PDB file of all heavy atoms in Angstrom:
ATOM      1  N   THR Z 246      -6.953   4.833  -2.403  1.00 93.00           N
ATOM      2  CA  THR Z 246      -5.553   4.811  -2.832  1.00 93.00           C
ATOM      3  C   THR Z 246      -5.344   5.635  -4.091  1.00 93.00           C
ATOM      4  O   THR Z 246      -4.288   6.244  -4.275  1.00 93.00           O
ATOM      5  CB  THR Z 246      -5.089   3.368  -3.082  1.00 93.00           C
ATOM      6  OG1 THR Z 246      -5.975   2.741  -4.018  1.00 93.00           O
ATOM      7  CG2 THR Z 246      -5.070   2.574  -1.813  1.00 93.00           C
ATOM      8  N   VAL Z 247      -6.340   5.673  -4.967  1.00 93.00           N
ATOM      9  CA  VAL Z 247      -6.257   6.507  -6.177  1.00 93.00           C
ATOM     10  C   VAL Z 247      -6.173   7.985  -5.790  1.00 93.00           C
ATOM     11  O   VAL Z 247      -5.424   8.753  -6.402  1.00 93.00           O
ATOM     12  CB  VAL Z 247      -7.458   6.229  -7.100  1.00 93.00           C
ATOM     13  CG1 VAL Z 247      -7.482   7.192  -8.271  1.00 93.00           C
ATOM     14  CG2 VAL Z 247      -7.417   4.802  -7.602  1.00 93.00           C
ATOM     15  N   LYS Z 248      -6.913   8.375  -4.764  1.00 93.00           N
ATOM     16  CA  LYS Z 248      -6.841   9.744  -4.260  1.00 93.00           C
ATOM     17  C   LYS Z 248      -5.429  10.091  -3.776  1.00 93.00           C
ATOM     18  O   LYS Z 248      -4.937  11.198  -4.002  1.00 93.00           O
ATOM     19  CB  LYS Z 248      -7.833   9.919  -3.109  1.00 93.00           C
ATOM     20  CG  LYS Z 248      -9.194  10.402  -3.537  1.00 93.00           C
ATOM     21  CD  LYS Z 248     -10.053  10.611  -2.303  1.00 93.00           C
ATOM     22  CE  LYS Z 248     -11.065  11.619  -2.485  1.00 93.00           C
ATOM     23  NZ  LYS Z 248     -11.907  11.819  -1.288  1.00 93.00           N
ATOM     24  N   GLN Z 249      -4.790   9.146  -3.119  1.00 94.00           N
ATOM     25  CA  GLN Z 249      -3.430   9.361  -2.631  1.00 94.00           C
ATOM     26  C   GLN Z 249      -2.454   9.584  -3.779  1.00 94.00           C
ATOM     27  O   GLN Z 249      -1.587  10.468  -3.718  1.00 94.00           O
ATOM     28  CB  GLN Z 249      -2.983   8.180  -1.781  1.00 94.00           C
ATOM     29  CG  GLN Z 249      -3.689   8.083  -0.446  1.00 94.00           C
ATOM     30  CD  GLN Z 249      -3.300   6.844   0.330  1.00 94.00           C
ATOM     31  OE1 GLN Z 249      -2.452   6.066  -0.105  1.00 94.00           O
ATOM     32  NE2 GLN Z 249      -3.925   6.637   1.472  1.00 94.00           N
ATOM     33  N   SER Z 250      -2.586   8.787  -4.842  1.00 93.00           N
ATOM     34  CA  SER Z 250      -1.706   8.940  -6.001  1.00 93.00           C
ATOM     35  C   SER Z 250      -1.977  10.263  -6.723  1.00 93.00           C
ATOM     36  O   SER Z 250      -1.050  10.893  -7.258  1.00 93.00           O
ATOM     37  CB  SER Z 250      -1.872   7.760  -6.963  1.00 93.00           C
ATOM     38  OG  SER Z 250      -3.208   7.578  -7.327  1.00 93.00           O
ATOM     39  N   ILE Z 251      -3.227  10.726  -6.741  1.00 93.00           N
ATOM     40  CA  ILE Z 251      -3.551  12.030  -7.334  1.00 93.00           C
ATOM     41  C   ILE Z 251      -2.893  13.152  -6.522  1.00 93.00           C
ATOM     42  O   ILE Z 251      -2.345  14.104  -7.087  1.00 93.00           O
ATOM     43  CB  ILE Z 251      -5.082  12.227  -7.421  1.00 93.00           C
ATOM     44  CG1 ILE Z 251      -5.690  11.289  -8.468  1.00 93.00           C
ATOM     45  CG2 ILE Z 251      -5.426  13.666  -7.764  1.00 93.00           C
ATOM     46  CD1 ILE Z 251      -7.195  11.113  -8.336  1.00 93.00           C
ATOM     47  N   ALA Z 252      -2.945  13.029  -5.188  1.00 94.00           N
ATOM     48  CA  ALA Z 252      -2.299  14.020  -4.318  1.00 94.00           C
ATOM     49  C   ALA Z 252      -0.783  14.032  -4.534  1.00 94.00           C
ATOM     50  O   ALA Z 252      -0.150  15.099  -4.522  1.00 94.00           O
ATOM     51  CB  ALA Z 252      -2.619  13.710  -2.867  1.00 94.00           C
ATOM     52  N   ARG Z 253      -0.208  12.849  -4.760  1.00 94.00           N
ATOM     53  CA  ARG Z 253       1.229  12.749  -5.036  1.00 94.00           C
ATOM     54  C   ARG Z 253       1.576  13.469  -6.339  1.00 94.00           C
ATOM     55  O   ARG Z 253       2.592  14.178  -6.423  1.00 94.00           O
ATOM     56  CB  ARG Z 253       1.610  11.275  -5.123  1.00 94.00           C
ATOM     57  CG  ARG Z 253       3.092  11.014  -5.041  1.00 94.00           C
ATOM     58  CD  ARG Z 253       3.333   9.513  -5.153  1.00 94.00           C
ATOM     59  NE  ARG Z 253       4.739   9.214  -5.212  1.00 94.00           N
ATOM     60  CZ  ARG Z 253       5.229   8.048  -5.610  1.00 94.00           C
ATOM     61  NH1 ARG Z 253       4.397   7.073  -5.967  1.00 94.00           N
ATOM     62  NH2 ARG Z 253       6.523   7.842  -5.635  1.00 94.00           N
ATOM     63  N   MET Z 254       0.752  13.285  -7.358  1.00 93.00           N
ATOM     64  CA  MET Z 254       0.964  13.947  -8.647  1.00 93.00           C
ATOM     65  C   MET Z 254       0.908  15.465  -8.477  1.00 93.00           C
ATOM     66  O   MET Z 254       1.725  16.202  -9.061  1.00 93.00           O
ATOM     67  CB  MET Z 254      -0.102  13.484  -9.632  1.00 93.00           C
ATOM     68  CG  MET Z 254       0.015  14.076 -11.027  1.00 93.00           C
ATOM     69  SD  MET Z 254      -1.301  13.524 -12.133  1.00 93.00           S
ATOM     70  CE  MET Z 254      -2.712  14.395 -11.433  1.00 93.00           C
ATOM     71  N   LYS Z 255      -0.013  15.943  -7.667  1.00 92.00           N
ATOM     72  CA  LYS Z 255      -0.144  17.387  -7.433  1.00 92.00           C
ATOM     73  C   LYS Z 255       1.062  17.952  -6.690  1.00 92.00           C
ATOM     74  O   LYS Z 255       1.491  19.082  -6.956  1.00 92.00           O
ATOM     75  CB  LYS Z 255      -1.425  17.676  -6.663  1.00 92.00           C
ATOM     76  CG  LYS Z 255      -2.681  17.524  -7.516  1.00 92.00           C
ATOM     77  CD  LYS Z 255      -3.939  17.784  -6.711  1.00 92.00           C
ATOM     78  CE  LYS Z 255      -5.177  17.646  -7.587  1.00 92.00           C
ATOM     79  NZ  LYS Z 255      -6.431  17.871  -6.818  1.00 92.00           N
ATOM     80  N   THR Z 256       1.633  17.165  -5.773  1.00 92.00           N
ATOM     81  CA  THR Z 256       2.847  17.615  -5.069  1.00 92.00           C
ATOM     82  C   THR Z 256       4.024  17.744  -6.026  1.00 92.00           C
ATOM     83  O   THR Z 256       4.813  18.698  -5.946  1.00 92.00           O
ATOM     84  CB  THR Z 256       3.206  16.634  -3.941  1.00 92.00           C
ATOM     85  OG1 THR Z 256       3.278  15.303  -4.446  1.00 92.00           O
ATOM     86  CG2 THR Z 256       2.213  16.715  -2.798  1.00 92.00           C
ATOM     87  N   PHE Z 257       4.160  16.798  -6.957  1.00 91.00           N
ATOM     88  CA  PHE Z 257       5.215  16.875  -7.972  1.00 91.00           C
ATOM     89  C   PHE Z 257       5.054  18.128  -8.831  1.00 91.00           C
ATOM     90  O   PHE Z 257       6.046  18.785  -9.170  1.00 91.00           O
ATOM     91  CB  PHE Z 257       5.208  15.632  -8.863  1.00 91.00           C
ATOM     92  CG  PHE Z 257       5.705  14.379  -8.195  1.00 91.00           C
ATOM     93  CD1 PHE Z 257       5.147  13.154  -8.483  1.00 91.00           C
ATOM     94  CD2 PHE Z 257       6.749  14.422  -7.291  1.00 91.00           C
ATOM     95  CE1 PHE Z 257       5.600  11.992  -7.877  1.00 91.00           C
ATOM     96  CE2 PHE Z 257       7.209  13.268  -6.673  1.00 91.00           C
ATOM     97  CZ  PHE Z 257       6.628  12.048  -6.966  1.00 91.00           C
ATOM     98  N   GLU Z 258       3.822  18.459  -9.173  1.00 90.00           N
ATOM     99  CA  GLU Z 258       3.563  19.663  -9.961  1.00 90.00           C
ATOM    100  C   GLU Z 258       3.916  20.928  -9.184  1.00 90.00           C
ATOM    101  O   GLU Z 258       4.441  21.885  -9.767  1.00 90.00           O
ATOM    102  CB  GLU Z 258       2.101  19.689 -10.384  1.00 90.00           C
ATOM    103  CG  GLU Z 258       1.750  18.673 -11.454  1.00 90.00           C
ATOM    104  CD  GLU Z 258       0.278  18.655 -11.803  1.00 90.00           C
ATOM    105  OE1 GLU Z 258      -0.494  19.365 -11.107  1.00 90.00           O
ATOM    106  OE2 GLU Z 258      -0.115  17.929 -12.730  1.00 90.00           O
ATOM    107  N   GLU Z 259       3.631  20.942  -7.899  1.00 91.00           N
ATOM    108  CA  GLU Z 259       3.991  22.094  -7.064  1.00 91.00           C
ATOM    109  C   GLU Z 259       5.496  22.270  -6.971  1.00 91.00           C
ATOM    110  O   GLU Z 259       6.001  23.398  -7.000  1.00 91.00           O
ATOM    111  CB  GLU Z 259       3.397  21.931  -5.667  1.00 91.00           C
ATOM    112  CG  GLU Z 259       1.884  22.131  -5.621  1.00 91.00           C
ATOM    113  CD  GLU Z 259       1.306  21.853  -4.249  1.00 91.00           C
ATOM    114  OE1 GLU Z 259       2.102  21.499  -3.339  1.00 91.00           O
ATOM    115  OE2 GLU Z 259       0.070  21.962  -4.085  1.00 91.00           O
ATOM    116  N   ILE Z 260       6.214  21.151  -6.819  1.00 90.00           N
ATOM    117  CA  ILE Z 260       7.683  21.212  -6.751  1.00 90.00           C
ATOM    118  C   ILE Z 260       8.261  21.691  -8.080  1.00 90.00           C
ATOM    119  O   ILE Z 260       9.219  22.465  -8.111  1.00 90.00           O
ATOM    120  CB  ILE Z 260       8.259  19.841  -6.350  1.00 90.00           C
ATOM    121  CG1 ILE Z 260       7.874  19.504  -4.904  1.00 90.00           C
ATOM    122  CG2 ILE Z 260       9.778  19.825  -6.498  1.00 90.00           C
ATOM    123  CD1 ILE Z 260       7.981  18.021  -4.579  1.00 90.00           C
ATOM    124  N   ALA Z 261       7.665  21.209  -9.181  1.00 89.00           N
ATOM    125  CA  ALA Z 261       8.148  21.595 -10.509  1.00 89.00           C
ATOM    126  C   ALA Z 261       7.924  23.071 -10.784  1.00 89.00           C
ATOM    127  O   ALA Z 261       8.738  23.721 -11.465  1.00 89.00           O
ATOM    128  CB  ALA Z 261       7.463  20.754 -11.579  1.00 89.00           C
ATOM    129  N   GLY Z 262       6.831  23.635 -10.286  1.00 86.00           N
ATOM    130  CA  GLY Z 262       6.501  25.025 -10.541  1.00 86.00           C
ATOM    131  C   GLY Z 262       5.781  25.205 -11.865  1.00 86.00           C
ATOM    132  O   GLY Z 262       5.508  24.250 -12.613  1.00 86.00           O
ATOM    133  N   GLU Z 263       5.517  26.446 -12.181  1.00 84.00           N
ATOM    134  CA  GLU Z 263       4.816  26.731 -13.437  1.00 84.00           C
ATOM    135  C   GLU Z 263       5.687  26.455 -14.652  1.00 84.00           C
ATOM    136  O   GLU Z 263       5.192  26.030 -15.698  1.00 84.00           O
ATOM    137  CB  GLU Z 263       4.366  28.194 -13.431  1.00 84.00           C
ATOM    138  CG  GLU Z 263       3.301  28.489 -12.381  1.00 84.00           C
ATOM    139  CD  GLU Z 263       2.881  29.941 -12.370  1.00 84.00           C
ATOM    140  OE1 GLU Z 263       3.493  30.740 -13.137  1.00 84.00           O
ATOM    141  OE2 GLU Z 263       1.977  30.304 -11.584  1.00 84.00           O
ATOM    142  N   ASP Z 264       6.981  26.709 -14.528  1.00 83.00           N
ATOM    143  CA  ASP Z 264       7.918  26.508 -15.646  1.00 83.00           C
ATOM    144  C   ASP Z 264       8.355  25.056 -15.783  1.00 83.00           C
ATOM    145  O   ASP Z 264       8.864  24.669 -16.847  1.00 83.00           O
ATOM    146  CB  ASP Z 264       9.153  27.391 -15.466  1.00 83.00           C
ATOM    147  CG  ASP Z 264       8.789  28.859 -15.359  1.00 83.00           C
ATOM    148  OD1 ASP Z 264       7.770  29.248 -15.980  1.00 83.00           O
ATOM    149  OD2 ASP Z 264       9.506  29.607 -14.666  1.00 83.00           O
ATOM    150  N   GLY Z 265       8.206  24.276 -14.723  1.00 80.00           N
ATOM    151  CA  GLY Z 265       8.704  22.902 -14.722  1.00 80.00           C
ATOM    152  C   GLY Z 265      10.208  22.831 -14.573  1.00 80.00           C
ATOM    153  O   GLY Z 265      10.856  21.893 -15.057  1.00 80.00           O
ATOM    154  N   SER Z 266      10.800  23.819 -13.878  1.00 84.00           N
ATOM    155  CA  SER Z 266      12.255  23.893 -13.749  1.00 84.00           C
ATOM    156  C   SER Z 266      12.799  23.145 -12.538  1.00 84.00           C
ATOM    157  O   SER Z 266      14.012  22.897 -12.479  1.00 84.00           O
ATOM    158  CB  SER Z 266      12.681  25.353 -13.689  1.00 84.00           C
ATOM    159  OG  SER Z 266      12.038  26.015 -12.594  1.00 84.00           O
ATOM    160  N   TYR Z 267      11.956  22.827 -11.554  1.00 86.00           N
ATOM    161  CA  TYR Z 267      12.377  22.132 -10.325  1.00 86.00           C
ATOM    162  C   TYR Z 267      13.518  22.892  -9.644  1.00 86.00           C
ATOM    163  O   TYR Z 267      14.644  22.386  -9.472  1.00 86.00           O
ATOM    164  CB  TYR Z 267      12.801  20.678 -10.613  1.00 86.00           C
ATOM    165  CG  TYR Z 267      11.673  19.766 -10.976  1.00 86.00           C
ATOM    166  CD1 TYR Z 267      11.353  19.541 -12.302  1.00 86.00           C
ATOM    167  CD2 TYR Z 267      10.913  19.144 -10.008  1.00 86.00           C
ATOM    168  CE1 TYR Z 267      10.305  18.710 -12.649  1.00 86.00           C
ATOM    169  CE2 TYR Z 267       9.861  18.303 -10.344  1.00 86.00           C
ATOM    170  CZ  TYR Z 267       9.562  18.090 -11.674  1.00 86.00           C
ATOM    171  OH  TYR Z 267       8.527  17.247 -12.020  1.00 86.00           O
ATOM    172  N   GLU Z 268      13.261  24.139  -9.280  1.00 85.00           N
ATOM    173  CA  GLU Z 268      14.262  24.963  -8.615  1.00 85.00           C
ATOM    174  C   GLU Z 268      14.557  24.428  -7.214  1.00 85.00           C
ATOM    175  O   GLU Z 268      13.657  24.073  -6.469  1.00 85.00           O
ATOM    176  CB  GLU Z 268      13.775  26.410  -8.517  1.00 85.00           C
ATOM    177  CG  GLU Z 268      13.711  27.108  -9.856  1.00 85.00           C
ATOM    178  CD  GLU Z 268      13.281  28.544  -9.737  1.00 85.00           C
ATOM    179  OE1 GLU Z 268      13.043  28.995  -8.590  1.00 85.00           O
ATOM    180  OE2 GLU Z 268      13.166  29.222 -10.775  1.00 85.00           O
ATOM    181  N   GLY Z 269      15.855  24.397  -6.856  1.00 84.00           N
ATOM    182  CA  GLY Z 269      16.286  23.913  -5.544  1.00 84.00           C
ATOM    183  C   GLY Z 269      16.330  22.406  -5.423  1.00 84.00           C
ATOM    184  O   GLY Z 269      16.462  21.874  -4.323  1.00 84.00           O
ATOM    185  N   VAL Z 270      16.225  21.676  -6.545  1.00 87.00           N
ATOM    186  CA  VAL Z 270      16.254  20.213  -6.567  1.00 87.00           C
ATOM    187  C   VAL Z 270      17.409  19.764  -7.458  1.00 87.00           C
ATOM    188  O   VAL Z 270      17.669  20.379  -8.498  1.00 87.00           O
ATOM    189  CB  VAL Z 270      14.909  19.627  -7.067  1.00 87.00           C
ATOM    190  CG1 VAL Z 270      14.924  18.109  -7.016  1.00 87.00           C
ATOM    191  CG2 VAL Z 270      13.746  20.169  -6.267  1.00 87.00           C
ATOM    192  N   LEU Z 271      18.087  18.696  -7.052  1.00 89.00           N
ATOM    193  CA  LEU Z 271      19.173  18.160  -7.867  1.00 89.00           C
ATOM    194  C   LEU Z 271      18.669  17.676  -9.224  1.00 89.00           C
ATOM    195  O   LEU Z 271      17.505  17.316  -9.380  1.00 89.00           O
ATOM    196  CB  LEU Z 271      19.855  17.017  -7.121  1.00 89.00           C
ATOM    197  CG  LEU Z 271      20.587  17.387  -5.821  1.00 89.00           C
ATOM    198  CD1 LEU Z 271      20.991  16.143  -5.078  1.00 89.00           C
ATOM    199  CD2 LEU Z 271      21.814  18.244  -6.116  1.00 89.00           C
ATOM    200  N   LYS Z 272      19.585  17.665 -10.195  1.00 89.00           N
ATOM    201  CA  LYS Z 272      19.198  17.346 -11.566  1.00 89.00           C
ATOM    202  C   LYS Z 272      18.661  15.918 -11.698  1.00 89.00           C
ATOM    203  O   LYS Z 272      17.637  15.670 -12.353  1.00 89.00           O
ATOM    204  CB  LYS Z 272      20.404  17.540 -12.492  1.00 89.00           C
ATOM    205  CG  LYS Z 272      20.048  17.551 -13.966  1.00 89.00           C
ATOM    206  CD  LYS Z 272      21.267  17.894 -14.809  1.00 89.00           C
ATOM    207  CE  LYS Z 272      20.889  17.926 -16.289  1.00 89.00           C
ATOM    208  NZ  LYS Z 272      22.088  18.250 -17.121  1.00 89.00           N
ATOM    209  N   LYS Z 273      19.335  14.987 -11.039  1.00 92.00           N
ATOM    210  CA  LYS Z 273      18.923  13.581 -11.100  1.00 92.00           C
ATOM    211  C   LYS Z 273      17.560  13.385 -10.445  1.00 92.00           C
ATOM    212  O   LYS Z 273      16.686  12.681 -10.980  1.00 92.00           O
ATOM    213  CB  LYS Z 273      19.964  12.702 -10.411  1.00 92.00           C
ATOM    214  CG  LYS Z 273      19.771  11.224 -10.628  1.00 92.00           C
ATOM    215  CD  LYS Z 273      20.892  10.422 -10.013  1.00 92.00           C
ATOM    216  CE  LYS Z 273      20.665   8.925 -10.228  1.00 92.00           C
ATOM    217  NZ  LYS Z 273      21.761   8.135  -9.596  1.00 92.00           N
ATOM    218  N   GLU Z 274      17.372  13.980  -9.261  1.00 91.00           N
ATOM    219  CA  GLU Z 274      16.091  13.890  -8.555  1.00 91.00           C
ATOM    220  C   GLU Z 274      14.971  14.528  -9.363  1.00 91.00           C
ATOM    221  O   GLU Z 274      13.842  14.020  -9.405  1.00 91.00           O
ATOM    222  CB  GLU Z 274      16.204  14.557  -7.192  1.00 91.00           C
ATOM    223  CG  GLU Z 274      17.041  13.779  -6.198  1.00 91.00           C
ATOM    224  CD  GLU Z 274      17.145  14.469  -4.857  1.00 91.00           C
ATOM    225  OE1 GLU Z 274      16.594  15.579  -4.711  1.00 91.00           O
ATOM    226  OE2 GLU Z 274      17.778  13.905  -3.940  1.00 91.00           O
ATOM    227  N   ALA Z 275      15.275  15.652 -10.013  1.00 90.00           N
ATOM    228  CA  ALA Z 275      14.278  16.330 -10.839  1.00 90.00           C
ATOM    229  C   ALA Z 275      13.833  15.447 -12.008  1.00 90.00           C
ATOM    230  O   ALA Z 275      12.638  15.391 -12.336  1.00 90.00           O
ATOM    231  CB  ALA Z 275      14.855  17.641 -11.358  1.00 90.00           C
ATOM    232  N   LEU Z 276      14.786  14.743 -12.628  1.00 92.00           N
ATOM    233  CA  LEU Z 276      14.454  13.835 -13.732  1.00 92.00           C
ATOM    234  C   LEU Z 276      13.560  12.680 -13.268  1.00 92.00           C
ATOM    235  O   LEU Z 276      12.590  12.316 -13.947  1.00 92.00           O
ATOM    236  CB  LEU Z 276      15.737  13.286 -14.368  1.00 92.00           C
ATOM    237  CG  LEU Z 276      16.540  14.248 -15.243  1.00 92.00           C
ATOM    238  CD1 LEU Z 276      17.929  13.698 -15.494  1.00 92.00           C
ATOM    239  CD2 LEU Z 276      15.823  14.502 -16.555  1.00 92.00           C
ATOM    240  N   MET Z 277      13.895  12.113 -12.103  1.00 93.00           N
ATOM    241  CA  MET Z 277      13.089  11.017 -11.543  1.00 93.00           C
ATOM    242  C   MET Z 277      11.674  11.480 -11.225  1.00 93.00           C
ATOM    243  O   MET Z 277      10.683  10.789 -11.531  1.00 93.00           O
ATOM    244  CB  MET Z 277      13.757  10.485 -10.284  1.00 93.00           C
ATOM    245  CG  MET Z 277      15.110   9.811 -10.506  1.00 93.00           C
ATOM    246  SD  MET Z 277      15.017   8.219 -11.310  1.00 93.00           S
ATOM    247  CE  MET Z 277      14.432   7.218  -9.978  1.00 93.00           C
ATOM    248  N   MET Z 278      11.566  12.643 -10.623  1.00 92.00           N
ATOM    249  CA  MET Z 278      10.256  13.192 -10.280  1.00 92.00           C
ATOM    250  C   MET Z 278       9.421  13.508 -11.516  1.00 92.00           C
ATOM    251  O   MET Z 278       8.204  13.280 -11.541  1.00 92.00           O
ATOM    252  CB  MET Z 278      10.429  14.437  -9.414  1.00 92.00           C
ATOM    253  CG  MET Z 278      10.906  14.134  -7.993  1.00 92.00           C
ATOM    254  SD  MET Z 278      11.460  15.581  -7.100  1.00 92.00           S
ATOM    255  CE  MET Z 278       9.923  16.238  -6.549  1.00 92.00           C
ATOM    256  N   GLU Z 279      10.076  14.011 -12.584  1.00 92.00           N
ATOM    257  CA  GLU Z 279       9.372  14.330 -13.816  1.00 92.00           C
ATOM    258  C   GLU Z 279       8.822  13.067 -14.482  1.00 92.00           C
ATOM    259  O   GLU Z 279       7.708  13.054 -15.017  1.00 92.00           O
ATOM    260  CB  GLU Z 279      10.312  15.067 -14.777  1.00 92.00           C
ATOM    261  CG  GLU Z 279       9.664  15.566 -16.048  1.00 92.00           C
ATOM    262  CD  GLU Z 279       8.594  16.614 -15.828  1.00 92.00           C
ATOM    263  OE1 GLU Z 279       8.592  17.272 -14.767  1.00 92.00           O
ATOM    264  OE2 GLU Z 279       7.735  16.763 -16.723  1.00 92.00           O
ATOM    265  N   ARG Z 280       9.603  11.990 -14.453  1.00 93.00           N
ATOM    266  CA  ARG Z 280       9.140  10.718 -15.009  1.00 93.00           C
ATOM    267  C   ARG Z 280       7.906  10.203 -14.271  1.00 93.00           C
ATOM    268  O   ARG Z 280       6.926   9.756 -14.894  1.00 93.00           O
ATOM    269  CB  ARG Z 280      10.249   9.668 -14.932  1.00 93.00           C
ATOM    270  CG  ARG Z 280      11.336   9.847 -15.969  1.00 93.00           C
ATOM    271  CD  ARG Z 280      12.452   8.846 -15.732  1.00 93.00           C
ATOM    272  NE  ARG Z 280      13.622   9.166 -16.531  1.00 93.00           N
ATOM    273  CZ  ARG Z 280      14.818   8.599 -16.346  1.00 93.00           C
ATOM    274  NH1 ARG Z 280      14.988   7.694 -15.374  1.00 93.00           N
ATOM    275  NH2 ARG Z 280      15.850   8.940 -17.117  1.00 93.00           N
ATOM    276  N   LYS Z 281       7.957  10.244 -12.943  1.00 93.00           N
ATOM    277  CA  LYS Z 281       6.827   9.787 -12.133  1.00 93.00           C
ATOM    278  C   LYS Z 281       5.592  10.659 -12.376  1.00 93.00           C
ATOM    279  O   LYS Z 281       4.469  10.149 -12.475  1.00 93.00           O
ATOM    280  CB  LYS Z 281       7.199   9.818 -10.653  1.00 93.00           C
ATOM    281  CG  LYS Z 281       8.168   8.719 -10.258  1.00 93.00           C
ATOM    282  CD  LYS Z 281       8.574   8.856  -8.805  1.00 93.00           C
ATOM    283  CE  LYS Z 281       9.602   7.790  -8.425  1.00 93.00           C
ATOM    284  NZ  LYS Z 281      10.059   7.965  -7.025  1.00 93.00           N
ATOM    285  N   ARG Z 282       5.823  11.955 -12.493  1.00 92.00           N
ATOM    286  CA  ARG Z 282       4.705  12.874 -12.728  1.00 92.00           C
ATOM    287  C   ARG Z 282       4.038  12.603 -14.067  1.00 92.00           C
ATOM    288  O   ARG Z 282       2.801  12.584 -14.174  1.00 92.00           O
ATOM    289  CB  ARG Z 282       5.210  14.321 -12.671  1.00 92.00           C
ATOM    290  CG  ARG Z 282       4.101  15.354 -12.680  1.00 92.00           C
ATOM    291  CD  ARG Z 282       4.650  16.748 -12.855  1.00 92.00           C
ATOM    292  NE  ARG Z 282       5.212  16.941 -14.172  1.00 92.00           N
ATOM    293  CZ  ARG Z 282       4.489  17.140 -15.287  1.00 92.00           C
ATOM    294  NH1 ARG Z 282       3.161  17.172 -15.248  1.00 92.00           N
ATOM    295  NH2 ARG Z 282       5.093  17.304 -16.450  1.00 92.00           N
ATOM    296  N   MET Z 283       4.837  12.389 -15.111  1.00 93.00           N
ATOM    297  CA  MET Z 283       4.300  12.109 -16.442  1.00 93.00           C
ATOM    298  C   MET Z 283       3.504  10.802 -16.465  1.00 93.00           C
ATOM    299  O   MET Z 283       2.443  10.710 -17.102  1.00 93.00           O
ATOM    300  CB  MET Z 283       5.447  12.032 -17.452  1.00 93.00           C
ATOM    301  CG  MET Z 283       6.116  13.359 -17.751  1.00 93.00           C
ATOM    302  SD  MET Z 283       5.073  14.525 -18.636  1.00 93.00           S
ATOM    303  CE  MET Z 283       5.045  13.786 -20.236  1.00 93.00           C
ATOM    304  N   LYS Z 284       4.025   9.804 -15.760  1.00 93.00           N
ATOM    305  CA  LYS Z 284       3.341   8.514 -15.682  1.00 93.00           C
ATOM    306  C   LYS Z 284       1.986   8.652 -14.994  1.00 93.00           C
ATOM    307  O   LYS Z 284       0.980   8.092 -15.461  1.00 93.00           O
ATOM    308  CB  LYS Z 284       4.222   7.514 -14.937  1.00 93.00           C
ATOM    309  CG  LYS Z 284       3.750   6.086 -15.004  1.00 93.00           C
ATOM    310  CD  LYS Z 284       4.718   5.161 -14.292  1.00 93.00           C
ATOM    311  CE  LYS Z 284       4.223   3.722 -14.321  1.00 93.00           C
ATOM    312  NZ  LYS Z 284       5.148   2.819 -13.583  1.00 93.00           N
ATOM    313  N   LEU Z 285       1.952   9.382 -13.885  1.00 93.00           N
ATOM    314  CA  LEU Z 285       0.703   9.591 -13.161  1.00 93.00           C
ATOM    315  C   LEU Z 285      -0.280  10.450 -13.957  1.00 93.00           C
ATOM    316  O   LEU Z 285      -1.491  10.208 -13.928  1.00 93.00           O
ATOM    317  CB  LEU Z 285       0.989  10.246 -11.809  1.00 93.00           C
ATOM    318  CG  LEU Z 285       1.664   9.365 -10.750  1.00 93.00           C
ATOM    319  CD1 LEU Z 285       2.195  10.214  -9.618  1.00 93.00           C
ATOM    320  CD2 LEU Z 285       0.692   8.331 -10.202  1.00 93.00           C
TER     321      LEU Z 285
END
């Protein structure tokens, strides 16, 4: 299960991109995803 959560964190990083701008994602969704990514 820890492996699954690590994979989830990596997907959030891919969506965020190198700049962390979350292009093509709504502002609210981007904020939620950033919080989850930071926690992980």
Side-chain angles (χ1 to χ4, degrees):
T246 55
V247 173
K248 269 183 152 180
Q249 290 176 3
S250 54
I251 290 163
R253 195 181 174 196
M254 181 182 71
K255 287 179 179 179
T256 53
F257 288 144
E258 288 177 353
E259 287 175 0
I260 293 161
E263 293 179 356
D264 302 329
S266 58
Y267 289 94
E268 291 182 1
V270 183
L271 295 170
K272 193 174 181 181
K273 190 175 179 181
E274 288 180 358
L276 286 165
M277 294 288 285
M278 288 167 82
E279 185 64 21
R280 284 175 192 168
K281 287 176 183 177
R282 189 189 68 77
M283 290 292 288
K284 191 177 178 182
L285 289 166

